[in-house]
Amino acid sequence: MSIDKETARKVAKLARIAVPEDRLEPLAQEFNAILGFIEQLQEVDVDGVEPMVSVTPQRLKRRADAVIDGSQQAAVLKNAPDAREGFFAVPKVVE
């Protein structure tokens, strides 16, 4: 795929970037260089390569998937202007 001057203009407009007319041709060349690099990456054989999180082998820390109440109800309700029976109390807005 090759990017021309008009496509570079359109990409700049979509990205909301003001590009002067004399910079459109160099921008198109930069886009072509990026696309060329991506084409090189697509040629790499990655069959059998497992995805990694880091370059050093390590496992992500996992937490138990448990539903808890946070044990901070009193501290949260202390900030409320009006709290009743363990809940925020708000004025009635619908009659």
Side-chain angles (χ1 to χ4, degrees), residues 80-93:
D82 187 11
R84 297 182 197 147
E85 301 175 20
F87 297 97
F88 286 95
V90 295
K92 185 176 180 180
V93 292

Side-chain angles (χ1 to χ4, degrees), residues 11-28:
V11 170
K13 181 180 178 185
L14 290 172
R16 305 282 195 262
I17 300 172
V19 179
E21 189 68 29
D22 61 332
R23 288 288 303 143
L24 286 174
E25 190 62 40
L27 181 63

Side-chain angles (χ1 to χ4, degrees), residues 32-93:
N32 284 322
I34 292 168
L35 290 175
F37 181 70
I38 291 172
E39 287 175 4
Q40 284 181 357
L41 289 177
Q42 290 176 345
E43 295 173 4
V44 176
D45 180 23
V46 293
D47 291 336
V49 178
E50 294 190 26
M52 355 184 271
V53 174
S54 174
V55 292
T56 58
Q58 62 183 356
R59 292 194 45 86
L60 292 175
K61 297 177 184 174
R62 301 184 187 266
R63 63 170 174 81
D65 190 14
V67 178
I68 59 172
D69 65 358
S71 303
Q72 297 186 13
Q73 181 181 14
V76 171
L77 290 176
K78 189 177 2 176
N79 294 323
D82 187 11
R84 297 182 197 147
E85 301 175 20
F87 297 97
F88 286 95
V90 295
K92 185 176 180 180
V93 292

